[in-house]
Every structure is written in structure tokens, then in C-alpha cells.
Amino acid sequence: MAIIAITLAAGGGDDEPERTTTSSPRRETPGSERPQEESGARGDVEITACVVDPATKWPSADLLITNRSSKASNYIVNVEFVDASNKRLSEALAASNGVAPDQQSSVKAQGTDQIATKITCRITDVTRYAS
């Protein structure tokens, strides 16, 4: 009797949702180098700004999504805001739909918790699926 095993990698096809979670926290701020080029959906998203609004004290992260897949895709990006001691202060998400292959989309992940300290923004999860 022959047994055939098939292994499916999560997010392997353009039709299936691809989720990439950052397992070890990394500091990501404008001007900092990425340690290595990330692959998959996570590699499609870059933080371009990380600020706390002086009036509302709400944190936000400006994101640049570049669709490197072969099909138009929808994105959901989760971001966390942490302080200097790595304590999570807030989180937010951003979404962009129908991003064509090689097209870029600028979106903002807006937190609603008031923060009175310097923050670092980190991408914690990216989901990409064909639109």
C-alpha cells in the first residue's frame, strides 16, 4: 500500500490568504535598515512614519504596501505601538483592497489610546489575499 503525503505551505498560492506574523519583535522606524529582505506578505509592507499626534496623543504608523504577488490583492496589516521598555501601549490595523501587482498603496494604522511617551511602531501581522 502506498501512502502519498502532500504538504501545503500556508499562503503558497495567490488565491489563498497569506498571513505573516513577526515572531520576534523588531524596532522599525523610518531610516532604519531592515535586517534582511522579508518574503511573502510581510515583505510587501514598510513603515514610513511612526508618530504620536501632539493634539490627540494618538499613535499612528504610515505604511507603504507594495504588491509583489502576481494578482491584485487585499491587505490587512496589524501594528503595535511600544515604549522604550518594549511594553505594548496600543495597537491598530490598516487595510487596503485591490492593490494591483507592482502597485503601491499608502495607508495609516491609527491607534486610539492616548500615549505620552516616545514610541516604536512594529508590524505584528500581515494578511494578503487575492481580490
Side-chain angles (χ1 to χ4, degrees):
M1 174 183 287
I3 298 176
I4 299 174
I6 300 174
T7 303
L8 299 175
D14 284 336
D15 292 333
E16 293 296 318
E18 178 177 341
R19 250 182 113 154
T20 307
T21 301
T22 303
S23 56
S24 59
R26 289 189 353 204
R27 288 182 177 255
E28 295 188 45
T29 55
S32 67
E33 288 187 33
R34 291 171 124 168
Q36 62 186 20
E37 185 63 31
E38 297 195 45
S39 62
R42 175 59 188 87
D44 289 0
V45 184
E46 175 186 354
I47 295 174
T48 58
C50 179
V51 298
V52 175
D53 183 277
T56 64
K57 303 292 186 208
W58 289 356
S60 66
D62 291 339
L63 308 172
L64 179 64
I65 299 169
T66 304
N67 184 356
R68 292 184 173 93
S69 74
S70 62
K71 294 185 179 179
S73 297
N74 301 328
Y75 288 83
I76 301 170
V77 183
N78 296 75
V79 175
E80 69 178 357
F81 307 102
V82 299
D83 65 13
S85 67
N86 210 29
K87 178 182 173 189
R88 184 180 205 171
L89 303 173
S90 187
E91 66 280 330
L93 64 87
S96 189
N97 295 317
V99 182
D102 297 319
Q103 183 181 36
Q104 292 185 324
S105 175
S106 295
V107 294
K108 181 182 295 270
Q110 179 69 62
T112 56
D113 294 307
Q114 290 191 330
I115 295 176
T117 187
K118 185 176 178 181
I119 60 166
T120 299
C121 298
R122 286 193 235 154
I123 296 169
T124 57
D125 190 50
V126 176
T127 302
R128 175 183 68 197
Y129 55 95
S131 51

